[in-house]
Amino acid sequence: MRETRRSVRARVVAHTCDHCAPLAYELCASGGLLFVRRTDRTANTPEVREAERLPDPQARRLWMDLLLGKAR
């Protein structure tokens, strides 16, 4: 999904290194739910996309799948 800005604030819970690759991922918390934010810096303008907001256990499973290369 494209960034929705539906949350006024989001707290970054975990993140990948944004200096190692042009793609960076953040596990964010907002309003009691978690979501993954992806920032792609390969083009001139960074493109931000966000996964749907999920309850903690589901979002952390998605985060681990992403880190292990299993997410689709």
Side-chain angles (χ1 to χ4, degrees):
M1 295 170 43
R2 293 212 180 275
E3 182 183 28
T4 60
R5 297 247 186 239
R6 81 181 226 186
S7 306
V8 175
R9 276 190 264 199
R11 180 175 55 91
V12 176
V13 176
H15 61 89
T16 62
C17 179
D18 60 350
H19 296 291
C20 300
L23 287 176
Y25 295 90
E26 298 171 322
L27 178 62
C28 302
S30 180
L33 298 172
L34 298 176
F35 62 96
V36 176
R37 180 183 294 151
R38 174 183 177 254
T39 304
D40 183 352
R41 293 184 179 88
T42 56
N44 292 336
T45 306
E47 182 181 358
V48 177
R49 293 189 177 256
E50 296 177 348
E52 63 182 305
R53 270 69 173 159
L54 299 167
D56 190 285
Q58 290 174 305
R60 289 189 186 273
R61 204 166 341 166
L62 173 63
W63 180 250
M64 286 307 299
D65 286 348
L66 177 78
L67 295 178
L68 296 173
K70 296 179 181 178
R72 298 262 176 225

